[in-house]
Amino acid sequence: MRMSRIHPRHRPTAGELAMLETATFNELKISGNLPSPKGSVLKVMQLSEHNNVPLPELIAVLNTDPVMIGRLLKVANSAAFLRSRPAVALTPDVLMAIGLNAVYQVALTFALVAEHRRGQCAQFNYDHYWSRALACGTAMQLLGSQQRLAPPGELFTIGMLSSIGQLAMATLHPSAYGELIASHGGPYAPVLTRLETEQFGYHHLDIAGALLRDWGLPKMFCDAVALHEEADFASAGDGTRAARLALCLRLAAQVADLCFLDGEARLHAYETVKKQAERMEIDPSHFPRLCDEVVREWREWNAQLAINTPEVESFTLLERRNSMTPRLPEAEAEQEALHILVVEDEASQRMMLQRLLQLLGHKVEVAADGQEAFDIVLDKRPQLVITDLAMPGLDGLQLIRRLRAIPEGRQLYIIVLTILDDEDNLAEVFSSGADDFISKPIPPRILQARLKAGQRIIQEQRSLRQEQELLRRHLEELSIDNQLAQEAAQTDGLTGLYNRRYAMRYLPQIWDEAKLSQQPLAALMLDIDHFKVVNDEHGHDVGDIILQEFAGILRLFCRRSDIICRFGGEEFLIILPDTRLSTAIQVAERIRATLANRSMVASGLALCLTVSIGVAEKKPAHANVEALIKAADQALYQAKRTGRNRVEAAL
């Protein structure tokens, strides 16, 4: 039996190795210090040179490495692959299900693990490196599968190999690289690429790209690795598959890093990563469960490699605890130090005022004329300005008028210094926008008293702004409460999914949008098999937990744009916008296989359940969304009638 590779291995050209000179890379390769696969994987690589791979010969080569067999079987049995029963041996159908690209890449990856569990770089924590790589691979597989970027096995590989450049640097330069990472925060510090280039003439992304191309990984994977550490590459918005892979890879690396944090640092980082996930259209309400799934898979991989796994709090519990933590306002001192700007053209007076105000505990900026003062207000944002009137260029009155004309100047408290105290001059001073004045020469006690008056006004203005902000928040909360009440009316209270009322109200709108844009639309009707037996034998409490867990599985395999509804009892509906029938069947099979291969734990019981699913795609014959749902429901009935634990598509 022979099978054609989906993607023939790609050999790099000199142009493609432009980031790292070909001669330089060849020298590094000849040195024998670069990470490289050995043993059975070299034979697999030789076999993969051919477009037609003889599967029996490939299986025979893989069977010489029992450890590799175990790791490939774990990949084959993961929820991302469509298997009705666990694989127990490498057979042609197992290899075909995984895909030969994934087989080759997973074998390559774990051959590197076996060869490089230890090394000469004392400051490089090899176990931590591989544990983080496994976390990144697992996160990439789950995130990328949800967004349908590539086959799951290949996503896992690119996640694991995304940091291969750091391992290569530690292998090539154990002493120098060890000193570099020890003094700059480890191998994942953001400044490392610049420092590596300055010291070695290339950096870890150069090495990673050259290695991945040399090992024959697809160009889009190599490009994604090269891009994923760039904080601003997404602003280009090119929308290529490599760019979308890189965005997903960057998020996967951030999720992996969460596994090694604790306390406030973990909470702060989690909130940042969740916002990044939301920008990638991953529903924030599903994100904690997805992270928990990453941790579960990561623990299993660590156990296979005998790597200690740190204790990690459930992200679902972290999210719940964070949402319940009250936010208390910080207490403020009754009298606080002010940020003051002194504007005085006479140097001696300016220095005297600066010193006096600093002795009173205030932070002081100084300016020699009105224009300099105006620029400082825009840049430093002081709270109070003390300005002379008679100055060259922009004088005190002109400065006040300019300040009151801009938002940054309207909140300032302004005190004028003057030797004039007749009514006409004072009237002009106050009409220009000044709040107070002090006559020269300046008595320190009077200055201190006027500053206290200014402090009270500034604090009152702040209190007023805080009250206004509280009022605004209160109005927002009222609006949110109203929105929550509306959501409660269209949300299933047990699972948190949309209910039948929501489906019947909003699905016609989704139907009309798909019809207008001529986009495909698919529907899945799902029913948990023999669920009544669970309620009858174990009680409704157990049944409720099972429904909640099943809802979590549905969220893992659906995009943010997909609509998941609990239609009633143990019956669920999923609407998949912009999705063809073939893709909808794949989604349904993944859901079915996940439930069939996993025990559902509830109240100390481990229950094995299955689900039947009917799938339908919008057709010209369907008059409305109700017709689409009816077609999916009829397919579900067919799945039930022909034995359950099946996916049936409407004809």
Side-chain angles (χ1 to χ4, degrees):
M1 177 179 181
R2 306 172 85 84
M3 179 179 178
S4 297
R5 286 178 57 83
I6 300 171
H7 303 291
R9 287 198 63 211
H10 172 79
R11 282 299 182 190
T13 65
E16 290 173 320
L17 289 178
M19 291 294 290
L20 180 65
E21 291 293 337
T22 307
T24 303
F25 178 68
N26 288 337
E27 288 177 10
L28 296 174
K29 198 173 174 183
I30 291 170
S31 73
N33 292 327
L34 279 172
S36 59
K38 297 178 175 61
S40 59
V41 175
L42 284 178
K43 296 180 182 178
V44 173
M45 292 174 70
Q46 291 168 358
L47 287 175
S48 67
E49 292 287 346
H50 307 287
N51 286 336
N52 293 317
V53 180
L55 292 186
E57 187 176 347
L58 179 59
I59 292 171
V61 171
L62 291 170
N63 280 335
T64 62
D65 189 341
V67 175
M68 187 63 68
I69 294 172
R71 287 166 186 163
L72 286 169
L73 289 176
K74 173 165 173 50
V75 172
N77 289 324
S78 67
F81 288 94
L82 312 178
R83 298 203 61 80
S84 58
R85 62 181 62 136
V88 296
L90 287 185
T91 59
D93 70 297
V94 171
L95 294 188
M96 291 169 67
I98 300 175
L100 294 189
N101 281 321
V103 170
Y104 159 68
Q105 292 173 15
V106 171
L108 167 67
T109 300
F110 283 104
L112 294 172
V113 176
E115 294 293 332
H116 297 279
R117 280 296 298 274
R118 298 290 179 268
Q120 300 300 315
C121 185
Q123 296 87 349
F124 191 84
N125 188 329
Y126 290 85
D127 272 355
H128 177 272
Y129 168 82
W130 286 116
S131 183
R132 182 186 181 275
L134 287 165
C136 189
T138 303
M140 185 63 181
Q141 185 180 51
L142 286 170
L143 291 166
S145 294
Q146 188 181 70
Q147 297 189 320
R148 302 167 192 170
L149 293 176
E154 297 184 19
L155 290 167
F156 177 81
T157 298
I158 195 61
M160 270 204 72
L161 292 181
S162 60
S163 56
I164 193 68
Q166 285 92 331
L167 177 67
M169 297 296 285
T171 306
L172 289 166
H173 313 286
S175 298
Y177 190 65
E179 293 174 4
L180 185 66
I181 62 176
S183 58
H184 290 90
Y188 311 106
V191 298
L192 219 56
T193 51
R194 176 177 60 81
L195 297 173
E196 291 166 349
T197 303
E198 291 174 357
Q199 186 163 347
F200 305 112
Y202 49 82
H203 53 69
H204 62 271
L205 292 175
D206 291 336
I207 290 286
L211 283 172
L212 296 183
R213 285 187 289 265
D214 189 60
W215 293 336
L217 269 72
K219 182 178 183 297
M220 66 176 180
F221 286 172
C222 304
D223 292 343
V225 169
L227 287 170
H228 85 282
E229 290 187 18
E230 297 295 331
D232 57 352
F233 80 89
S235 61
D238 59 13
T240 62
R241 194 175 181 191
R244 289 187 291 120
L245 278 165
L247 277 172
C248 192
L249 188 55
R250 181 177 180 81
L251 180 61
Q254 292 171 331
V255 171
D257 288 334
L258 290 177
C259 297
F260 300 92
L261 297 175
D262 53 24
E264 289 300 317
R266 184 167 185 255
L267 179 59
H268 177 74
Y270 171 74
E271 289 298 323
T272 301
V273 175
K274 186 171 73 169
K275 290 177 183 176
Q276 177 65 23
E278 188 172 1
R279 284 193 288 270
M280 294 177 60
E281 298 188 350
I282 294 173
D283 194 325
S285 64
H286 302 171
F287 189 60
R289 289 178 180 270
L290 191 148
C291 290
D292 284 337
E293 189 72 13
V294 169
V295 171
R296 187 182 69 80
E297 292 280 344
W298 170 60
R299 284 182 178 280
E300 292 181 7
W301 277 118
N302 276 349
Q304 278 214 8
L305 294 178
I307 297 175
N308 290 329
T309 306
E311 290 297 323
V312 179
E313 179 188 10
S314 162
F315 287 94
T316 304
L317 293 178
L318 177 70
E319 177 87 18
R320 191 176 303 160
R321 179 166 53 82
N322 185 42
S323 65
M324 296 174 63
T325 302
R327 300 291 190 266
L328 299 175
E330 296 182 1
E332 294 180 353
E334 183 180 349
Q335 295 290 338
E336 62 180 20
L338 293 173
H339 186 186
I340 300 173
L341 170 61
V342 173
V343 191
E344 172 63 71
D345 62 324
E346 189 177 331
S348 60
Q349 284 285 327
R350 187 169 64 244
M351 292 176 63
M352 181 274 294
L353 260 177
Q354 181 182 19
R355 179 60 179 158
L356 179 57
L357 292 169
Q358 287 173 338
L359 289 173
L360 293 173
H362 302 293
K363 178 182 178 182
V364 185
E365 312 283 348
V366 293
D369 57 57
Q371 185 57 54
E372 184 183 0
F374 187 80
D375 295 338
I376 290 174
V377 168
L378 295 177
D379 184 38
K380 302 293 183 64
R381 305 294 177 88
Q383 298 167 287
L384 187 146
V385 173
I386 301 174
T387 180
D388 192 14
L389 287 179
M391 293 183 294
L394 192 68
D395 65 25
L397 291 178
Q398 292 171 326
L399 171 64
I400 295 169
R401 293 189 185 101
R402 285 188 63 180
L403 289 175
R404 293 309 192 198
I406 61 173
E408 295 86 346
R410 293 187 190 117
Q411 301 296 326
L412 287 171
Y413 192 86
I414 301 177
I415 300 175
V416 168
L417 302 176
T418 179
I419 57 174
L420 306 172
D421 57 0
D422 62 81
E423 291 183 2
D424 290 340
N425 286 315
L426 290 179
E428 186 179 8
V429 166
F430 286 114
S431 66
S432 298
D435 295 292
D436 204 348
F437 77 98
I438 302 175
S439 299
K440 294 182 179 181
I442 304 170
R445 291 180 62 187
I446 297 297
L447 175 63
Q448 190 170 4
R450 299 294 172 86
L451 289 177
K452 285 186 177 179
Q455 281 178 317
R456 285 193 295 271
I457 298 298
I458 291 169
Q459 288 178 338
E460 287 171 5
Q461 289 176 339
R462 179 186 294 131
S463 297
L464 179 60
R465 289 195 297 270
Q466 289 174 342
E467 289 174 5
Q468 291 172 338
E469 177 64 17
L470 287 173
L471 178 60
R472 184 187 64 79
R473 290 182 182 177
H474 180 62
L475 292 173
E476 284 184 354
E477 288 171 0
L478 289 176
S479 176
I480 291 171
D481 288 342
N482 183 50
Q483 182 181 348
L484 290 175
Q486 292 180 1
E487 288 179 358
Q490 59 193 28
T491 303
D492 175 54
L494 177 64
T495 62
L497 301 176
Y498 292 122
N499 58 21
R500 189 186 189 101
R501 177 187 296 179
Y502 176 91
M504 293 299 97
R505 181 174 180 181
Y506 289 102
L507 292 186
Q509 178 181 338
I510 295 172
W511 172 272
D512 291 340
E513 290 174 356
K515 190 174 181 180
L516 183 64
S517 61
Q518 297 184 338
Q519 295 293 323
L521 185 69
L524 276 60
M525 287 293 294
L526 308 92
D527 189 277
I528 301 176
D529 298 325
H530 303 299
F531 187 74
K532 186 176 183 298
V533 176
V534 175
N535 282 332
D536 292 344
E537 294 186 0
H538 305 292
H540 287 277
D541 290 345
V542 171
D544 288 349
I545 295 173
I546 295 298
L547 290 173
Q548 290 172 335
E549 290 297 318
F550 184 63
I553 292 173
L554 298 184
R555 290 188 181 101
L556 280 177
F557 288 100
C558 289
R559 303 163 299 179
R560 190 174 181 181
S561 58
D562 300 336
I563 308 297
I564 317 172
C565 303
R566 183 184 176 196
F567 227 49
E570 66 274 20
E571 193 173 47
F572 296 80
L573 167 69
I574 302 176
I575 296 293
L576 304 174
D578 194 17
T579 302
R580 293 287 183 192
L581 182 65
S582 58
T583 303
I585 292 172
Q586 291 178 5
V587 174
E589 277 289 352
R590 289 178 182 174
I591 294 170
R592 186 206 59 76
T594 298
L595 186 61
N597 294 326
R598 176 185 298 184
S599 295
M600 304 287 277
V601 178
S603 300
L605 300 171
L607 304 177
C608 296
L609 298 174
T610 59
V611 63
S612 299
I613 306 175
V615 185
E617 182 182 6
K618 176 173 69 71
K619 293 182 178 180
H622 294 150
N624 48 39
V625 73
E626 287 82 1
L628 173 64
I629 294 172
K630 183 177 180 180
D633 194 48
Q634 290 172 344
L636 170 62
Y637 176 76
Q638 179 67 12
K640 289 281 190 183
R641 194 177 65 82
T642 53
R644 295 182 170 85
N645 189 25
R646 295 173 58 84
V647 173
E648 290 286 345
L651 299 177

